[in-house]
Amino acid sequence: MGAFTPKHHSKCRPMTEQEAMAWYWPEGAERLLASVPEEDKAFQRLSWMLVRWRVDPVCFAVEALRVKLAPYQVAILLDLADAPIELYQFYGVDPNKPKRQVLIPSGHGMGKTRVLAIATWWHKLTIKYTYNLCTAPTATQLTGRLWDEIRKMYRRLKKAWPMLADQWEVQRDRIAHIDSDFSDWATVARTAREEKPEGLQGAHAMDDDDADGQLAAIFGDDREESASGGIMVVIDEASGVSDAIREVLKGALSEEGARLIAPANPTRPDGWFAEDCQKTHRYAIHNLDCRDSNREKMYQIPYRDTAGRVHKLTLRGFVRPSYWEEILEDCDGDDDHDVFRVRVKGMKPRSAFTQCIKTHWVDEAMARPKDEASQKDPIIIGLDFGLFSDKHSLAVRQGFNMLDGEEWLPPDKPKDITLKAADLAIEYQERLGARYIIGDSNGVGRGAMEYLSRYYQNKKDVTVIHFNSGKQAHDKKRYYLRRDEMWHKAGRSWVSNPRCHLIQFPRLKSQLTATGYHEDAKSRRIKAETKSDMKKRGFESGNIADSLLHTLMIHTPNTTNQAEKKDEAPSTPVVFQEHFNRIRNKQNNMRIIR
């Protein structure tokens, strides 16, 4: 080809003359290959193709792996490759992001794993003696999904370029060269285990001891001209990788030219991934929104083949519109809801918690008439006791119907706190004929619950149940505490049921919908948001909601049958005994289960 004049850009490197010969194939490499002996032509052609693919990972995906790319996948690969400005202009991609280290906060279903597999093979095949370290929070994510995609790409490579593919073997947790002399030229999969971060230490691959050619000149050796050495770290589901593991990987990424590619569904508002995604001066941040990959639309990218022809490659989007439409509906039309932000927009949540009880469930339950079939069910009174200046509350439920509720500020004196709660519970029980009274006896409410137990002692038709929300969950594999079971398991199921009826009570809706939950990425255990967590987010204590949900816990192993521990019952102080004696005279033929 004639004299090549590279273009210049402040954020991109210029294309070298060798790269220009490989990329502008008909004017460069094709002419050189014309003079190569026939027996050497296949090898020389592959050598020039590797140069072409190294400078342009999009050509690598299309020509070596037979993969079509979405426009956003093109942008990711160009930044990872540190491509010259000519390629950014050809593909119409923003060239102003940092290069080589790429973070990808993404919505669901955007083809992240496919990009990782392409990037892994691109780095391994086009740059000699490289080392790829692949990690993920779990073995399933790593040697399952990612490795399956790597194998799929290997099959395509073997079909299109068997001469290249036959040099490699995809094993259970590594990609190894068939020649043991090149055992350091490898791709290794290691799970990101926080308890054993040392398993990811010591990964380096820099191989530029004689970059200036001094030793080659002294000893008369051939100077290595082609690109070689370098590490690339692949972190799948990066949001689930701990800060401790990220610190270890900084050592591997400290060498010059190190590459990083880390996609994730950004499920956490904190942690290294959430923080680093704000550092746009250091990383190429590619935020992927599901709506930019609409399954009902076709997308296209240009592709320049080795004959110099430019094609428009078309690809259908990956995500069905119904996916984000259903999520938006579940989020009550709020496209800034944390669930919509994370799963669709690929943005970190504003809170670590996801809404337990959805707003539209509550709206529907409040608009719904009473469930007639529930009128045969026993009536249950629930009590909740707020901390310090928080309100105390009482709620009444019968089957799928909420019948009544009340909130009040507690008196100043401890004995008055107990009497007020006990009096109200007894009043509602007498008026409605409630079969059960259940309350949180852990802390402030202990006195009231103990005295209710004493009051209903020897009465046959009322059961007083002491519920401790802070105790370990019955389902220990799924939940941490009984409060977690109450909100996530019992509360969600009851409020979302089409039979559920809620009364129009001040702040009931806001309290039911404010509490969130968090699912641990590793153990999959659920933790409901505490009242103190909610206050930090600016929400009031959800006492009326808690008292209502307490009524759902009477048939679980979370309750204490008071009769079984009668010998442990505390004696009643005289100041309360006289009060309860007066009330006890009003009722007969009831007993307490303690």
Side-chain angles (χ1 to χ4, degrees), residues 42 47 99 187 195 243 353 369 411 483 503 529:
S47 298
K99 306 298 184 284
T187 295
E195 67 274 17
D243 292 358
F353 296 94
R483 173 179 168 81
I503 64 173
E529 193 173 17

Side-chain angles (χ1 to χ4, degrees), residues 198-391:
E198 64 274 8
L200 296 171
Q201 290 178 335
H204 295 279
M206 184 65 74
D207 191 19
D208 65 345
D209 307 67
D210 196 29
D212 58 2
Q214 185 179 21
L215 293 178
I218 292 174
F219 295 105
D221 296 335
D222 292 333
R223 182 179 176 183
E224 182 67 60
E225 296 288 348
S226 62
S228 65
I231 187 170
M232 183 173 77
V233 176
V234 176
I235 310 177
D236 197 8
E237 298 300 341
S239 186
V241 171
S242 72
D243 292 358
I245 294 295
R246 178 66 176 98
E247 283 299 314
V248 170
L249 292 175
K250 282 183 178 178
L253 294 168
S254 63
E255 66 181 42
E256 184 180 358
R259 289 180 167 88
L260 166 70
I261 181 167
N265 188 228
T267 54
R268 296 173 54 193
D270 54 6
W272 75 269
F273 186 77
E275 293 171 3
D276 283 359
C277 282
Q278 308 304 311
K279 300 175 182 176
T280 55
H281 63 288
R282 184 182 301 178
Y283 302 100
I285 311 297
H286 290 265
N287 183 267
L288 306 186
D289 189 313
C290 290
R291 294 168 294 182
D292 293 331
S293 186
N294 189 332
R295 188 64 179 165
E296 296 178 357
K297 293 183 179 180
M298 300 296 293
Y299 301 86
Q300 65 178 24
I301 64 167
Y303 160 64
R304 191 177 193 273
D305 66 18
T306 53
R309 295 170 301 202
V310 176
H311 307 264
K312 295 294 183 182
L313 300 183
T314 58
L315 178 69
R316 187 175 296 280
F318 298 136
V319 187
R320 295 176 295 103
S322 60
Y323 172 74
W324 64 75
E325 290 167 357
E326 290 167 2
I327 293 177
L328 186 61
E329 181 181 352
D330 287 343
C331 295
D332 303 304
D334 181 5
D335 65 359
D336 199 45
H337 189 287
D338 277 348
V339 173
F340 197 83
R341 286 170 62 89
V342 171
R343 297 183 181 178
V344 178
K345 290 184 174 181
M347 299 172 66
K348 71 175 183 178
R350 300 188 189 280
S351 166
F353 296 94
T354 300
Q355 188 177 10
C356 251
I357 295 176
K358 300 184 184 302
T359 306
H360 71 89
W361 294 346
V362 176
D363 287 336
E364 291 166 2
M366 287 184 167
R368 191 178 292 129
K370 283 186 178 181
D371 179 58
E372 293 185 5
S374 294
Q375 294 178 10
K376 298 179 181 179
D377 294 333
I379 295 175
I380 306 161
I381 295 172
L383 292 167
D384 185 69
F385 306 90
L387 299 175
F388 308 112
S389 61
D390 291 339
K391 291 182 178 181

Side-chain angles (χ1 to χ4, degrees), residues 500-543:
C500 178
H501 163 76
L502 295 172
I503 64 173
Q504 297 288 339
F505 188 90
R507 296 179 298 281
L508 175 61
K509 175 180 175 179
S510 61
Q511 290 185 22
L512 283 172
T513 58
T515 299
Y517 73 92
H518 172 73
E519 183 175 7
D520 185 86
K522 293 183 179 180
S523 69
R524 314 308 295 177
R525 293 170 77 189
I526 296 291
K527 177 178 176 56
E529 193 173 17
T530 65
K531 291 182 180 180
S532 59
D533 290 331
M534 293 168 62
K535 286 187 175 182
K536 291 176 184 177
R537 292 202 291 126
F539 289 96
E540 64 176 336
S541 181
N543 299 306

Side-chain angles (χ1 to χ4, degrees), residues 454-472:
R454 290 290 182 182
Y455 178 79
Y456 285 105
Q457 192 171 9
N458 301 322
K459 298 175 186 287
K460 63 181 180 181
D461 293 329
V462 180
T463 302
V464 177
I465 299 170
H466 290 214
F467 175 69
N468 189 338
S469 63
K471 279 192 174 181
Q472 188 180 55

